[in-house]
Amino acid sequence: MIELFILLFADDIVLLSDTVTGLQNQLNVLAMKASELDLHVNLDKSKIIIFRNGGYIARKETWTYEGHDIKIVNSYKYLGLFFSTRLSFSKALDDIAMKARKGVIEIFRTLWRLDDFSVSIFFKLFDSQIKPILLLYVYSFLSCIKYWIRLTRMDENRLPRKSYKMLLSLCDQDKECWASQVRNTLYKFGFGFVWENQGVENARGFLNDFKQRLIDCHSQNWHEHLHSSSRFSVYRNFKSSISLESYFTAVKNKHIRDVLIRFRIGASDIRTHKMRFAFVSPNDLKCPLCNAGIEDEIHTLFYCKSLNDLRHKYIPCWYTKHPSDKSLEFIMHDTKILHDLGRFIYHSNKRRAALL
């Protein structure tokens, strides 16, 4: 195996060593060569990070550059990615998620300034601005496998190819590394033979099959989670596929649409939503308006007597005559009345807030 001791990227340098003395010697050589070339190393941006599995830093683990101490840190951002002492990517993922949230907020601000809340425009902006930041589930796996295929076809003299062969050797020893994760991923999704062959002839065809397998597995896991979680006991009655729901385009008024969204996903002020995670008795969940039943979605839409006038005004009678779980499913997909349904929920919320 070759030993990596330096990485170069633009005007950045990363020095690597598995001993204290080795790294100090590299810093001394760097200082000497930088002086010869009349180059300056910015110590404010230069940090030491010790990759270790916990524990304290030893007294001897100190390094200097031209007599100046270099600060030791627990995490360092390099090329836009946070590295930690345990090589955990939790901090990196948190940073990426924060960037994505800021991007979404900026999109909302832009649409607000333009006074245009078109759903199609939002998703186009999301795909172009946010998706590259998040590198979503399917695309992250796909990018990883695509790069692995490139490595398998790379010339033996290339440094990435040599690095991959080092990882492959560790993988053969049952040690956890990037190569072992690629192997596990291919086996997990039914493409173990591709790993055994260390590549494919038709890369484009394989990547298309791999992408579709990822989508199918993700869809299957989504359905399983939806139907096994008590939180989505009502939501799953009218949410059957991972797709854009009709109310996004059917309900033009943003305030009415927001109310409808919160009601659908169980984030409104009705008691079964608000007290979902609280330790309460069934009596605490009773409707505060009529005190005649548990205040859930079906009760609010079809049964609460205090909302009869609003119900007659906004909801067609064929839904209220025979209320059931099926009625809830149908009404949530009836594009002709979704706007009126949102208005019913909006005014019922106002009445509820006024009475309470």
Side-chain angles (χ1 to χ4, degrees), residues 40-257:
H40 175 68
V41 174
N42 188 347
L43 290 182
D44 292 333
K45 294 183 178 180
S46 301
K47 301 291 185 291
I48 299 288
I49 183 167
I50 306 172
F51 298 109
R52 62 190 190 279
N53 191 23
Y56 294 97
I57 298 175
R59 289 186 178 181
K60 66 176 182 179
E61 292 180 320
T62 59
W63 293 268
T64 61
Y65 182 84
E66 294 184 333
H68 300 284
D69 290 336
I70 304 178
K71 186 177 180 180
I72 301 174
V73 296
N74 291 325
S75 64
Y76 189 75
K77 192 174 185 179
Y78 185 64
L79 301 181
L81 189 67
F82 273 102
F83 290 86
S84 70
T85 56
R86 292 176 177 266
L87 287 178
S88 168
F89 284 95
S90 298
K91 188 175 180 61
L93 293 175
D94 290 341
D95 180 63
I96 292 172
M98 182 184 68
K99 289 180 179 178
R101 283 194 293 269
K102 289 182 177 179
V104 171
I105 292 173
E106 190 58 37
I107 290 176
F108 280 126
R109 286 177 177 171
T110 302
L111 295 177
W112 181 271
R113 289 194 294 266
L114 296 175
D115 194 24
D116 187 345
F117 291 95
S118 169
V119 175
S120 60
I121 292 177
F122 172 81
F123 281 126
K124 285 182 180 179
L125 290 173
F126 184 91
D127 287 344
S128 62
Q129 300 295 323
I130 309 303
K131 189 169 71 174
I133 297 175
L134 291 177
L135 196 61
L136 303 177
Y137 173 81
V138 170
Y139 296 95
S140 61
F141 277 113
L142 197 62
S143 297
C144 179
I145 299 303
K146 187 183 295 185
Y147 183 66
W148 174 76
I149 292 176
R150 284 184 58 194
L151 288 175
T152 61
R153 298 181 172 190
M154 197 172 286
D155 187 272
E156 295 287 344
N157 294 323
R158 295 282 303 278
L159 184 58
R161 173 67 176 178
K162 291 182 178 180
S163 299
Y164 171 66
K165 292 184 72 174
M166 293 168 61
L167 292 175
L168 196 59
S169 176
L170 294 175
C171 181
D172 292 339
Q173 300 173 40
D174 291 328
K175 294 184 178 180
E176 186 69 23
C177 61
W178 182 81
S180 66
Q181 293 177 358
V182 171
R183 177 197 62 194
N184 296 341
T185 298
L186 289 172
Y187 271 99
K188 176 182 177 181
F189 293 105
F191 293 99
F193 65 94
V194 175
W195 173 262
E196 297 298 333
N197 294 331
Q198 281 295 292
V200 291
E201 293 185 4
N202 183 1
R204 178 176 295 182
F206 163 71
L207 289 173
N208 287 335
D209 292 342
F210 184 73
K211 179 180 179 180
Q212 189 58 51
R213 186 72 56 83
L214 289 173
I215 293 172
D216 293 341
C217 290
H218 176 65
S219 178
Q220 183 178 346
N221 292 336
W222 178 82
H223 278 96
E224 182 180 349
H225 178 63
L226 191 66
H227 286 273
S228 62
S229 174
S230 59
R231 176 178 180 179
F232 305 114
S233 58
V234 175
Y235 183 64
R236 60 175 170 254
N237 289 332
F238 47 82
K239 182 62 176 177
S240 57
S241 63
I242 307 176
S243 60
L244 180 66
E245 291 294 325
S246 55
Y247 68 87
F248 274 107
T249 53
V251 182
K252 303 299 182 183
N253 186 295
K254 181 182 183 299
H255 297 292
I256 300 298
R257 187 170 65 236

Side-chain angles (χ1 to χ4, degrees), residues 339-350:
H339 186 270
D340 285 339
L341 179 64
R343 293 174 69 187
F344 167 80
I345 298 172
Y346 173 77
H347 288 294
S348 66
N349 286 347
K350 289 187 65 176

